[in-house]
Amino acid sequence: MNNSIFGHLESSLNDYLADLTRRGESADPATATRIANSELPRVVAALQAVLDEHRPDEQGRCPSCRRRLFGRAPAPCRAYLAAHLCLLVTEDDQPYSDTPRLGAR
């Protein structure tokens, strides 16, 4: 990782997500509920903000993703695909049951 501002932002975000995962996995049910009540709305809002930046325009193209100099990538872009795969595809839907899910530790 580099020392740019992006590197610091990426590191702190990765640390936050890893800490949230660790706390959720090791928490008793009451603590897990408190963590979910306080942190889940923030994570959902962050994901929604990212997806809002990638909402397709009237031609069905992502305004944020560029594939070539004068064109836009067709929708759904990688942001929508990644969110869908991480959140909505179950292990039963995956072709290989031993394939780790994104974010799984």
Side-chain angles (χ1 to χ4, degrees), residues 30-79:
T31 302
T33 299
R34 283 195 302 277
I35 292 169
N37 287 340
S38 65
E39 298 299 326
L40 187 58
R42 296 176 64 209
V43 173
V44 168
L47 178 60
Q48 188 62 53
V50 170
L51 293 177
D52 284 348
E53 291 293 319
H54 293 271
R55 188 174 312 283
D57 62 17
E58 49 281 346
Q59 286 85 34
R61 302 212 177 261
C62 176
S64 298
C65 295
R66 297 194 96 159
R67 188 172 11 189
R68 53 191 174 280
L69 185 59
F70 296 107
R72 302 273 186 207
C77 69
R78 288 185 178 192

Side-chain angles (χ1 to χ4, degrees), residues 88-103:
L88 301 176
V89 175
T90 65
E91 289 182 21
D92 293 339
D93 295 337
Q94 294 180 1
Y96 304 105
S97 60
D98 60 342
T99 302
R101 293 187 64 170
L102 289 176

